[in-house]
Amino acid sequence: MEGAKLIGAGCATIALAGAAVGIGNVFSSLISAVAQNPFQANKLFGYAILGFALTEAIALFALMMAFLILFVF
């Protein structure tokens, strides 16, 4: 049973790699957009922070699920 918990927690943390790629994608798009239109930098930065927060929330949910699998079940 302990091995199944470790495998389940490992599978849950795979989402953290996806979140890291998503955060990198958000900020690389921000840099590209600001380079094309610097006058919209403040508005674009607000959208980038929103995208970062939503992507980070998914990572925190995945981490929470991994800890629940390890320590509760």
Side-chain angles (χ1 to χ4, degrees), residues 1 9 13 26 28-30 33 35 38 41 45-47 49-50 52 56 59-60 62 68-70:
M1 190 67 173
T13 57
V26 165
S28 69
S29 297
L30 172 67
F45 184 73
Y47 289 143
I49 293 299
L50 178 64
F52 169 75
E56 188 68 25
L60 292 175
L68 281 174
I69 290 170
L70 283 177

Side-chain angles (χ1 to χ4, degrees), residues 4-33:
K5 284 172 45 174
L6 293 175
I7 291 172
C11 289
T13 57
I14 291 173
L16 297 177
V21 170
I23 290 170
N25 204 2
V26 165
F27 285 111
S28 69
S29 297
L30 172 67
I31 291 170
S32 176

